[in-house]
Amino acid sequence: MSVVTEKRLKDRSGSLCEISGSDENLVVYLVEPKTEATPENCILITKSLRDQIENPETTNANDWRGLSDSMWNENLPVQIVSWRMHARLKNMDMLEMMYLDEDALEWAKATGEADDDEGKIVHKDSNGNVLLDGDSVVLIKDLDVKGATFTAKRGAAVHNIKLVWDDANLIEGRVENQSIFILTQYVKKTK
């Protein structure tokens, strides 16, 4: 994460979380599916709220009381996160009040936050366990890596995986210091 981006976000927000207004444990959060960590794609947020975004099962509605203010923020990435969290928390009245142009709404819906559970992209390992960003997995078979000079061996641990947001069958992880895409059917989640 760029120091320049962090400084610009702190200047933009007054060194406060752009969702809750807190000044404790602030981190830069890149709003997916954007990949370039610029102020136009990131927000300054508390670590606790970021962790809840990344791990939906830990969401505590009381921690998100600032959404009623942040949804009106002039910065688009703050609006996007506010929209997604209103959708997750099923705050339909608030969602109906928000206006996002067509491109912004497409960005907001990109992670499937507003989809009903039936249409939501869910990544599962070979045993049917739900995978989340940051999980660790183990390969269950040797995998030939296209474009590389090695085979990813069965039993190899892959830590801090990233989900491919638009494909439930793919994750990204590092094996032998190379970032590769792995089919979820060939991994097993570790505790």
Side-chain angles (χ1 to χ4, degrees):
M1 197 63 53
S2 157
V3 174
V4 173
T5 295
E6 185 172 356
K7 182 181 181 334
R8 286 184 54 200
L9 289 174
K10 285 181 176 179
D11 290 345
R12 175 175 92 187
S13 69
S15 294
L16 298 174
C17 173
E18 294 182 277
I19 301 295
S20 69
S22 173
D23 61 356
E24 296 180 13
N25 298 318
L26 297 176
V27 295
V28 174
Y29 174 68
L30 176 63
V31 183
E32 293 181 340
K34 302 293 185 181
T35 56
E36 188 179 354
T38 65
E40 295 76 25
N41 297 335
C42 297
I43 66 171
L44 194 64
I45 192 168
T46 64
K47 182 180 181 312
S48 170
L49 293 182
R50 187 216 43 210
D51 292 347
Q52 290 182 46
I53 291 171
E54 294 176 348
N55 302 297
E57 71 281 355
T58 66
T59 302
N60 179 348
N62 287 332
D63 294 344
W64 294 93
R65 290 186 300 264
L67 287 176
S68 58
D69 292 328
S70 66
M71 65 190 259
W72 305 113
N73 190 292
E74 64 187 13
N75 298 293
L76 187 57
V78 178
Q79 293 174 24
I80 299 300
V81 170
S82 299
W83 188 95
R84 288 178 181 171
M85 291 311 299
H86 276 310
R88 181 183 298 176
L89 296 168
K90 308 284 190 241
N91 294 337
M92 295 315 188
D93 291 342
M94 295 298 206
L95 277 179
E96 288 175 14
M97 284 196 291
M98 287 188 76
Y99 171 77
L100 297 175
D101 66 31
E102 193 174 311
D103 291 339
L105 190 57
E106 185 177 325
W107 181 13
K109 290 181 174 182
T111 58
E113 200 64 62
D115 295 346
D116 56 11
D117 288 340
E118 189 175 308
K120 199 170 191 177
I121 293 178
V122 178
H123 294 73
K124 294 185 178 181
D125 72 0
S126 59
N127 295 328
N129 297 313
V130 175
L131 297 170
L132 302 171
D133 275 333
D135 280 349
S136 294
V137 297
V138 172
L139 301 180
I140 61 168
K141 74 175 266 184
D142 289 352
L143 300 175
D144 291 326
V145 181
K146 292 181 182 175
T149 58
F150 70 95
T151 299
K153 296 293 186 187
R154 177 181 174 198
V158 183
H159 301 288
N160 198 23
I161 65 167
K162 294 281 183 209
L163 305 179
V164 176
W165 67 272
D166 61 348
D167 188 338
N169 298 312
L170 281 178
I171 59 171
E172 186 176 359
R174 294 190 75 73
V175 176
E176 295 191 20
N177 289 326
Q178 285 195 347
S179 184
I180 63 171
F181 290 98
I182 307 166
L183 290 170
T184 56
Q185 67 191 27
Y186 300 127
V187 300
K188 180 174 75 171
K189 184 175 181 175
T190 59
K191 298 294 178 204

